[in-house]
Amino acid sequence: MVDISSTNEAKNTIPERTKKKSIFQWKYTHKNVVNKEKKKIIIPKYTKIALINSAVLFVLYIFVKILKGCGIYLYLFGIGSDAIIQLLVTACGVCLISATAVFLLKNSKHKIIVAIILTIVIGYVTFIYSIFFLLTYWGSGCYDEFKSPDKKHTVVMYNTSFLLEGSGLIFEKTSFCTMSYVSGWWTDDGYYPFGRSDSYDIVWNEDNFELHYNNGMGSEKNVHQKIDYIK
């Protein structure tokens, strides 16, 4: 004969153990889920946009460099390829730095410390970049345009002088926004002759133009160059 009371007691005992075990498992699982949520990395919307912008700017930088390598220089509103490249690099760097700064601040527990470190790093990079920019472009980078009397040809003089080295490039415009390299010029002691009307002459011929300029050694136009037009 089966003991009904002992059977009921066994039924009541088993669910109680199972219940305790289930509560323990739930607490353990819930704790892991909470920890995973705390460790989740957040990518701000601004960071995504800044990274996309930097990628676009980098592609444009490569495009301008390829054109320059093929002898095609951009020239828009007095701004040439070198300046455009510099602007693209600067803008790309700003986008990357800002994207990194926002990302670190968003995912850091110690925001004040991170902000101080970022300020020091950004200040240092800006200082070094400013020195490089001044040393590279100080006294150079200016363009001067000269049109032929019939308006069919436009020659552009570009000053690339650095410290005591006087030199530059000569271009001919091929469209409203491009120009091609045709020759170069050199002077002494960083002298730039094309900023004064009495230090150069341009003779426009049918197939070429003659350039006469002072190289900074004396008062006469002692350098003569004959340069063919771009066909």
Side-chain angles (χ1 to χ4, degrees):
M1 188 173 179
V2 179
D3 188 355
I4 297 175
S5 60
S6 61
T7 303
N8 291 335
E9 185 179 351
K11 288 181 179 180
N12 293 333
T13 303
I14 294 173
E16 186 66 26
R17 292 177 180 175
T18 306
K19 185 178 179 181
K20 290 181 180 179
K21 186 176 181 181
S22 300
I23 292 173
F24 176 76
Q25 289 178 341
W26 180 85
K27 288 182 177 180
Y28 180 77
T29 305
H30 179 70
K31 186 177 181 181
N32 286 341
V33 170
V34 171
N35 290 335
K36 287 181 180 179
E37 289 179 352
K38 289 182 179 179
K39 295 178 181 179
K40 186 178 179 181
I41 297 176
I42 301 173
I43 301 178
K45 184 178 180 180
Y46 177 84
T47 298
K48 296 177 182 179
I49 295 173
L51 289 175
I52 293 172
N53 289 337
S54 62
V56 173
L57 291 169
F58 181 74
V59 171
L60 291 175
Y61 164 79
I62 296 297
F63 176 71
V64 177
K65 290 287 285 185
I66 291 174
L67 287 179
K68 186 177 177 181
C70 296
I72 301 174
Y73 293 73
L74 296 180
Y75 184 67
L76 295 166
F77 308 108
I79 301 175
S81 290
D82 290 340
I84 292 174
I85 288 173
Q86 193 67 28
L87 290 173
L88 290 173
V89 170
T90 303
C92 185
V94 170
C95 287
L96 289 176
I97 291 174
S98 60
T100 304
V102 172
F103 174 79
L104 292 176
L105 288 172
K106 188 71 175 179
N107 292 277
S108 176
K109 294 181 180 179
H110 309 286
K111 298 185 184 300
I112 297 178
I113 297 175
V114 172
I116 293 173
I117 294 174
L118 287 173
T119 302
I120 295 172
V121 172
I122 293 173
Y124 177 77
V125 172
T126 304
F127 176 72
I128 297 298
Y129 180 79
S130 300
I131 293 176
F132 170 78
F133 182 82
L134 289 174
L135 289 176
T136 305
Y137 292 95
W138 182 264
S140 67
C142 63
Y143 291 88
D144 286 297
E145 293 186 25
F146 304 92
K147 294 182 180 294
S148 62
D150 58 5
K151 308 298 182 183
K152 291 183 179 180
H153 302 281
T154 301
V155 173
V156 180
M157 304 295 179
Y158 178 46
N159 181 15
T160 59
S161 299
F162 181 72
L163 298 178
L164 299 179
E165 178 188 355
S167 63
L169 305 175
I170 304 174
F171 301 95
E172 183 181 350
K173 291 193 70 173
T174 53
S175 71
F176 76 98
C177 64
T178 60
M179 57 186 183
S180 295
Y181 172 81
V182 292
S183 186
W185 57 267
W186 299 267
T187 60
D188 183 63
D189 199 19
Y191 181 69
Y192 181 65
F194 305 106
R196 297 177 52 181
S197 59
D198 60 344
S199 60
Y200 73 91
D201 283 321
I202 300 179
V203 180
W204 304 93
N205 302 319
E206 184 177 354
D207 298 322
N208 54 57
F209 65 94
E210 298 176 26
L211 184 62
H212 311 279
Y213 62 91
N214 184 347
N215 67 349
M217 300 177 66
S219 58
E220 299 181 356
K221 303 177 184 70
N222 47 11
V223 179
H224 311 282
Q225 292 178 250
K226 181 179 286 189
I227 303 170
D228 294 332
Y229 297 130
I230 296 175
K231 304 298 183 181

